[in-house]
Amino acid sequence: MGMDYSRVRDWILREDCFDPLRLGKCESVMSLGNGYLGLRSATEERYLRETRGMFVAGTFNKFDENEVTELPNAADLTAMELTIDGEPFDLTVGTMEEYTRELNIRTGELVRRVVWTSPAGQRIRFASYRTVSLKNLHEIAQRVEITPISGDVTVGVRSGIDATVTNTGSQHFSEGDKRFYDKKAIQFVLRTTQSGIDFVHTTQHRLAVNDCVLEQDAQVYIERREIFAGYEAQVPQGACFTLEKYSSVYTTRDFDAAGRTTAELQEAGLAACRAMEAQGYAGILADSVAQWEAEVWGRTPICIEGNAQAGLDQFAVRFAQYHMRVMVPAQDNRMNIGAKGLSGEGYKGHCFWDTEIFLLPYYSFTAPEIARRLEEYRYLSLPGAHAKAAHNGYRGAMFPWESAWLDDGEVTPEYCDVDILTGKPVKVWSGILEQHITSDVAFGAWQYAAIAGDEDFMDRYGYELIFDTAIFWASRLEAGEDGCYHINDVVGPDEFREHVNDNAFTNYMAKWNMEKALEYYELLKNEKPELFAALSEKLSLAEAREAWRDGCAHIFLPQPTAENVLPQDDRYLSCRDIDLTKYKQQEHVGGITRDYNLEQINQIQVSKQADVLVLFFLLEDRFSPEVKAATWKYYEQRTIHDSSLSLSTHAVLACDMGEREMAYDLYQKASMIDLGPFMSSSNAGIHAASFGGTWQCVVYGFGGVRMLGGKLRIDPLLPAAWDRLSYTVLWKGQKLAVEVTDEKIVIENLTGDTPVSLTVAGEDCVLTGKAAFPLRAGRWKGEGK
Amino acid sequence: MGMDYSRVRDWILREDCFDPLRLGKCESVMSLGNGYLGLRSATEERYLRETRGMFVAGTFNKFDENEVTELPNAADLTAMELTIDGEPFDLTVGTMEEYTRELNIRTGELVRRVVWTSPAGQRIRFASYRTVSLKNLHEIAQRVEITPISGDVTVGVRSGIDATVTNTGSQHFSEGDKRFYDKKAIQFVLRTTQSGIDFVHTTQHRLAVNDCVLEQDAQVYIERREIFAGYEAQVPQGACFTLEKYSSVYTTRDFDAAGRTTAELQEAGLAACRAMEAQGYAGILADSVAQWEAEVWGRTPICIEGNAQAGLDQFAVRFAQYHMRVMVPAQDNRMNIGAKGLSGEGYKGHCFWDTEIFLLPYYSFTAPEIARRLEEYRYLSLPGAHAKAAHNGYRGAMFPWESAWLDDGEVTPEYCDVDILTGKPVKVWSGILEQHITSDVAFGAWQYAAIAGDEDFMDRYGYELIFDTAIFWASRLEAGEDGCYHINDVVGPDEFREHVNDNAFTNYMAKWNMEKALEYYELLKNEKPELFAALSEKLSLAEAREAWRDGCAHIFLPQPTAENVLPQDDRYLSCRDIDLTKYKQQEHVGGITRDYNLEQINQIQVSKQADVLVLFFLLEDRFSPEVKAATWKYYEQRTIHDSSLSLSTHAVLACDMGEREMAYDLYQKASMIDLGPFMSSSNAGIHAASFGGTWQCVVYGFGGVRMLGGKLRIDPLLPAAWDRLSYTVLWKGQKLAVEVTDEKIVIENLTGDTPVSLTVAGEDCVLTGKAAFPLRAGRWKGEGK
């Protein structure tokens, strides 16, 4: 769809062809943000099929009793109706030349350039620039340039704040104060209808011709849910008309709003816009660029060198880093990452297991202070998890499959899509049955603390989280007639299979969770008696310990078949096989659900996404290489990757198993989920977890990094297309720079001379300062290297 | 804006040029409906600036506590995404030839025809047909025809029910049941969020090529707030592809819904669509056309003959009749007519004094059963009027300026628009201060009953209404230091003037109301003792009578100046005069509010609309011809007709005073408010009252009809452009056909030989059967006729 990778070496993703029928993809994948707010990259001028969107992290609202809490689409600040001699600037009419839209991921700037001739024949050069500041999280800056080429023109502008936007028709805001200040600044306060969060939107404009500022009172328009300023400028041929728009967003839920009234936020919004005008677009951008360098690019860079393809690989992993900064509410532990980040209304801003299993490794290894906040969110949302457990008749903490407010508990919607046979909406079972989320959360908390070496986190939150989740699992086990404990009627990671018993991932992870609790029980009892006493009282640990021991001793764990294949659940291997070629090769996901309903799919040996394989990824030392290889092969053939969470796991495991070509092939597919042209589900927002997956492919997969049992392992090998890979990871407070070539591995501790214990290429060692290591022989299958 | 009057003699309003920047006007003025539902005439294919709208009478909902109750915009049933070889049918791209859109007001059918060449070069002939049945009020039928001209094409269709529509961003519906039946019928239940009304939308499609029906399962799509069927058809060059779409709408508030569950309405919706498919588009249309003939065109026709201009005059009055049928909830006395009918969200579906003063005369004289229901609505809404009176510290019935639910009381929004000086929204005072509505309601009830001779109405509702409103007025009067009673701090009909004292219209009408109450007090006491006793007890009439006598004796009535000018209020004549030429000649209304804020306008001798003149119109016998003439002249110069309620009053009074040329000029302007190209406020819906005004210009003005003091008067004279005017009025159950030429007046009682007393051309007479009368000499000023 017009994706152009010619400038990826300049950190630029380009669209070279404007397609008004397919606007959603670019709006999402080129979206801007700073973790506080996310802004879809809809154009200044409006189009029928656009989806404008601005989302402020954590500002959830519930439209009505039938809907679930979701992140509301805030008022639009970016649209501008521009006219040239009275005709709207509109690329679907007239003639378009030299069209480009570019996202520079290094600077976080969106730039659009076009030469356009109006239906009446006026030819102009148009450029627009936009950024969401990473320095001042409340600020959005825009700049538009119009240069008449064929003659003098009158440029008309109508721009302001539009609160008619909805989440696909559901309106989350009530109108509040709206007014002009001095016919210049525009302010509109809106309040979420159920959660009562005030949003303060403020904006003001600066117009100039050839840098000569036009001092002009705005024509003012206040309409229902809209407030606009109108301007008009005479622009001589060859002169440059510029319009800068400075906007700010504050809400009463903001990280920095504590104790501030809405009136104070209104003052702050006006002050911010004034300050932005004083600084100008270029200055605002420069500050933000410096922040990007400090926080991301300069801190934990990743470099890939190699052939032409490697250039795109390089871009892909930076693109992942870009979006992982844009989407993460680094400033606030009361919120988490939505499955679509802040780039669209898909999945309603809810956070899933995506955070722990797919995204957390990146933050743990590169920005542990952010990773900690994400897991603090889980701790803070224990009230919801307790409520969910109690509601379902269990004990301890049963985390919601989809999570929004800290005390919401489960917010998975009840229905989606349509059953092609019955014509009725399909019931979504994940909220009730996809229970593995609870051990995923425990695993994530443990993993973060191990990587960051954050014992303070464990003391305050981590131990309790692991105990509380283990208590849930012990209460969840069902005694079978076979004398074993089973976990029946669940959905595992593979969402094609509902109501299964003894899903391998679920059962093994539940056992891991209880084992970890037992381990920490002993540890705390012996080493942290005060904390132990406090938690013992709070959680009745003595009683819990008995249940964990019993549970660990009797939980049923699916065992490999004679062919070394680990059964995904109690039924999978006995289902029928069909020819999946059509779905394995599909360009768009979801093909199989157009041919079969879910009940039918349940009878086929087909997986939507990695399931058992995620288990191998998390608990690699529990399974023999033979089982892993045979199982990987078995499921890879039957997995159609209809989920964006699937490919990266397959790719990393392919790396682990030395399947070099396959690994690279899977990586390329994984890294192109949003970047490539195919995944139309990008329309509703980027695939947050897939960016974590891309980073994992590079650093976990080819880079060979892994934390296993609290220890760091580095065992890399590069795909054929790459000559050199370098990356930086933070390990227990030490910053390690790793450089991999086909010859060797060079690791340097950039933090200082603290000795770091790790395993490199299969050999245990203690690194002090900088050292080089040989690659492990036979790392790739069939290559003897 | 492309309005083409070339086919008005065929009852057809045509648009001959498609302008995607100005869609609202045609959507409104060509809207379809049947009084139960109203449908904006948005195109099948969607455009950025469209405003799709479907409104079901009386289904009010309140979005939140800050908004007032309004008529919600229901789910869209009419949109169809059509593709030609994969390219969307879209008139803003490709090439367009032979474009027309036509509303046939006789048949209530909307037809659009175009020859269009797609960007890829496929040339097709497209036609669409649409009607809202007047026979079966729940039904909407559509037909689309596509004939490929240049080659074989694949036609794609995506059509269903879209519930993402809002009232400018405010969403009034929660999603309910949505599903497919047999991959064919589509049903979507939505519930209003606050008032809890279930809407059942059902639709199904029939596709054919050259009348050979395509039996094809729909591709089914269920998304958030949307449910769609997808189809594809191969259409050979020259063949005709047809798509018929049959839709039905039922709600739990329907006139015929009493006792029916939502499930039963769902059954009814499906049955209706099945029946429609069995009948086909042509049959559905034919039934509806017959109903139009029976209810409107055949019952009370109006004919104008004359020069070329008279053809448009003829159309204009029929256009008014068309819209007055489309907008009126004839089936239900629990609802009334919105200021925009059912054609848009402007004025939120609320009913105003427009009903009694501008529309009721039409219904009283042509469809008294409808007029009665409109006034029954007022009686049924007495609880709201009592609440409003009590809330404001008065007694009796104080009717709301804007009215929705029967028990809502006042629903005027608090703010609108923007103050150009302060930048803040402008407070709307009408809801509190525009109190004349209460006597307007009393007047309307009295007028209806007098015209229809409906003593049953008076017994059940009318007397009580007049007593109860008079009680309000007596409590409203304020004793002044001058010994008179004043009505201070009001808004009269002229909404430019807020917080005025002793508005002439208000005071005279209040007195009329109390006088009428005193008159009926005596009448009932003497002639209907039982009713008198009942009402006496209910309303404490004895006490009320004293208050009325006192009120009538002491109410201050503004008196004419030495120049015979009746002051509009206590301040108007002392305000400054400015040059109003700019605003008198403006093409679009509202110019003055862009130059002055309301506070400033209040200091100028300028009127938005007829004020004192409406008083002359209602109570013509209270003022001398000299006062009327001088006052008319004075205010006509100072009235800029920024309200659609203004011109017709001026026109009728010009007729009364014999100002022939001026009358015709004003009539033409009045009749073109929606029909003409200028009034852009038509975008938000037609101007309901202006249609009553158009009819009044013709029948009251040139036709010379008036009910005065319970007596019928006919005193016509035609404008120069007309040779002959004939019309039919119902007078106390007798149907009188009136024919006026330059020579004579012929009146025939079509009902039979019952003698009818009336005044014709100034002479009292008793008509039996048919008779001819001479025109009154000197009827027109300066022409001696």
Side-chain angles (χ1 to χ4, degrees), chain A residues 64 70 169 171 174 180 224 423, chain B residues 64 70 169 171 174 180 224 423:
Chain A
D64 67 22
E70 73 177 326
Q171 177 57 261
S174 288
F180 284 86
R224 188 174 188 181
Chain B
D64 66 22
E70 73 177 327
Q171 177 57 260
S174 289
F180 283 86
R224 187 174 189 178

Side-chain angles (χ1 to χ4, degrees), chain A residues 80-262:
Chain A
M80 299 173 181
E81 192 174 311
L82 302 166
T83 57
I84 306 298
D85 287 347
E87 288 187 297
F89 174 69
D90 173 354
L91 300 179
T92 64
V93 298
T95 328
M96 194 174 13
E97 303 159 68
E98 303 178 26
Y99 174 86
T100 59
R101 171 156 58 175
E102 298 182 336
L103 171 70
N104 185 323
I105 58 170
R106 181 171 206 163
T107 60
E109 189 185 31
L110 182 78
V111 180
R112 202 159 53 108
R113 291 190 183 86
V114 64
V115 173
W116 179 73
T117 306
S118 71
Q122 281 291 5
R123 194 153 169 257
I124 60 156
R125 185 174 296 282
F126 170 93
S128 71
Y129 305 82
R130 187 189 300 178
T131 197
V132 172
S133 175
L134 193 66
K135 174 80 179 182
N136 300 300
L137 302 185
H138 301 282
E139 299 181 358
I140 302 167
Q142 289 175 271
R143 178 181 168 90
V144 163
E145 297 171 355
I146 294 173
T147 309
I149 298 172
S150 53
D152 305 347
V153 304
T154 302
V155 174
V157 176
R158 188 182 150 105
S159 168
I161 305 171
D162 172 8
T164 66
V165 292
T166 62
N167 289 53
T168 312
S170 290
Q171 177 57 261
H172 287 291
F173 293 94
S174 288
E175 287 195 79
D177 239 24
K178 58 181 168 183
R179 61 171 294 194
F180 284 86
Y181 293 86
D182 306 325
K183 296 196 183 183
K184 185 172 179 77
I186 303 175
Q187 194 166 69
F188 198 166
V189 180
L190 292 142
R191 176 172 290 189
T192 58
T193 53
Q194 168 265 337
S195 55
I197 302 169
D198 279 346
F199 279 56
V200 178
H201 308 79
T202 316
T203 195
Q204 65 188 54
H205 300 88
R206 194 182 67 161
L207 287 74
V209 173
N210 283 345
D211 294 327
C212 174
V213 174
L214 300 179
E215 299 295 352
Q216 184 181 111
D217 277 354
Q219 283 275 20
V220 298
Y221 304 91
I222 291 187
E223 287 165 21
R224 188 174 188 181
R225 293 188 172 275
E226 292 180 289
I227 173 164
F228 284 101
Y231 299 96
E232 216 172 73
Q234 308 305 321
V235 187
Q237 182 175 5
C240 182
F241 166 82
T242 59
L243 166 64
E244 295 199 350
K245 184 174 183 180
Y246 314 104
S247 305
S248 68
V249 182
Y250 288 78
T251 88
T252 49
R253 174 140 169 88
D254 289 355
F255 60 100
D256 53 0
R260 294 166 93 182
T261 63
T262 300

Side-chain angles (χ1 to χ4, degrees), chain A residues 570-620:
Chain A
D570 69 342
R571 209 171 59 211
Y572 192 101
L573 299 183
S574 58
C575 290
R576 72 190 170 104
D577 265 318
I578 64 163
D579 180 3
L580 294 170
T581 316
K582 172 179 169 189
Y583 312 114
K584 290 285 280 182
Q585 296 175 348
Q586 67 193 358
E587 285 201 355
H588 299 281
V589 300
I592 198 167
T593 58
R594 297 243 145 247
D595 295 338
Y596 301 93
N597 76 1
L598 265 184
E599 215 165 298
Q600 294 169 319
I601 292 173
N602 248 304
Q603 306 305 320
I604 301 170
Q605 288 203 35
V606 59
S607 295
K608 181 178 174 188
Q609 64 207 102
D611 186 304
V612 176
L613 302 196
V614 185
L615 182 61
F616 293 170
F617 175 62
L618 300 184
L619 304 179
E620 62 171 82

Side-chain angles (χ1 to χ4, degrees), chain A residues 313-629:
Chain A
D313 295 337
Q314 164 75 84
F315 182 81
V317 70
R318 284 179 176 154
F319 185 66
Q321 288 182 283
Y322 168 81
H323 276 294
M324 284 193 285
R325 181 61 193 93
V326 159
M327 72 174 70
V328 67
Q331 69 287 346
D332 201 324
N333 66 2
R334 298 166 305 159
M335 44 200 74
N336 209 289
I337 302 174
K340 297 282 190 183
L342 296 167
S343 70
E345 67 171 85
Y347 295 116
K348 302 175 186 299
H350 296 168
C351 116
F352 293 70
W353 73 319
D354 308 36
T355 292
E356 277 77 13
I357 306 305
F358 296 90
L359 290 160
L360 197 63
Y362 170 71
Y363 298 111
S364 298
F365 272 118
T366 66
E369 71 287 357
I370 295 177
R372 176 171 168 146
R373 289 194 157 175
L374 294 173
E375 292 313 286
E376 286 174 0
Y377 166 86
R378 294 298 195 181
Y379 181 84
L380 295 174
S381 64
L382 276 172
H386 290 145
K388 183 176 173 185
H391 179 74
N392 287 280
Y394 304 120
R395 299 174 55 197
M398 183 183 192
F399 275 93
W401 176 243
E402 301 190 21
S403 188
W405 288 106
L406 297 170
D407 53 2
D408 263 340
E410 188 57 63
V411 290
T412 303
E414 246 191 300
Y415 292 94
C416 77
D417 221 329
V418 58
D419 185 305
I420 54 147
L421 288 192
T422 66
K424 294 183 186 174
V426 175
K427 185 162 170 66
V428 178
W429 286 102
S430 303
I432 302 165
L433 302 184
E434 202 152 355
Q435 299 167 0
H436 65 81
I437 177 71
T438 293
S439 37
D440 304 335
V441 167
F443 188 89
W446 166 77
Q447 189 189 49
Y448 154 70
I451 293 169
D454 189 347
E455 196 57 23
D456 177 68
F457 169 84
M458 288 305 292
D459 290 348
R460 289 171 191 262
Y461 314 114
Y463 295 121
E464 186 175 341
L465 264 178
I466 286 165
F467 290 143
D468 219 350
T469 49
I471 289 170
F472 160 72
W473 284 118
S475 77
R476 175 63 184 86
L477 298 173
E478 304 170 41
E481 293 181 358
D482 57 359
C484 289
Y485 290 154
H486 299 268
I487 304 178
N488 295 327
D489 198 20
V490 298
V491 177
D494 174 10
E495 294 182 339
F496 276 170
R497 319 202 80 75
E498 295 173 340
H499 305 294
V500 301
N501 299 332
D502 291 324
N503 168 263
F505 181 90
T506 305
N507 289 23
Y508 276 93
M509 288 297 289
K511 187 178 184 206
W512 174 89
N513 199 342
M514 292 186 288
E515 281 175 348
K516 193 53 78 179
L518 284 169
E519 176 192 332
Y520 285 150
Y521 180 94
E522 299 302 325
L523 180 91
L524 263 56
K525 188 174 172 189
N526 297 327
E527 298 181 13
K528 306 194 176 192
E530 278 182 32
L531 181 57
F532 180 76
L535 291 176
S536 279
E537 178 162 351
K538 189 170 181 182
L539 302 173
S540 307
L541 288 187
E543 185 190 332
R545 179 176 176 244
E546 290 316 304
W548 296 333
R549 290 171 77 146
D550 182 47
C552 286
H554 297 100
I555 188 169
F556 174 83
L557 296 177
Q559 295 303 315
T561 63
E563 293 79 26
N564 278 324
V565 174
L566 191 66
Q568 185 174 306
D569 56 48
D570 69 342
R571 209 171 59 211
Y572 192 101
L573 299 183
S574 58
C575 290
R576 72 190 170 104
D577 265 318
I578 64 163
D579 180 3
L580 294 170
T581 316
K582 172 179 169 189
Y583 312 114
K584 290 285 280 182
Q585 296 175 348
Q586 67 193 358
E587 285 201 355
H588 299 281
V589 300
I592 198 167
T593 58
R594 297 243 145 247
D595 295 338
Y596 301 93
N597 76 1
L598 265 184
E599 215 165 298
Q600 294 169 319
I601 292 173
N602 248 304
Q603 306 305 320
I604 301 170
Q605 288 203 35
V606 59
S607 295
K608 181 178 174 188
Q609 64 207 102
D611 186 304
V612 176
L613 302 196
V614 185
L615 182 61
F616 293 170
F617 175 62
L618 300 184
L619 304 179
E620 62 171 82
D621 53 351
R622 302 277 171 111
F623 304 93
S624 71
E626 294 73 27
V627 166
K628 284 197 273 190

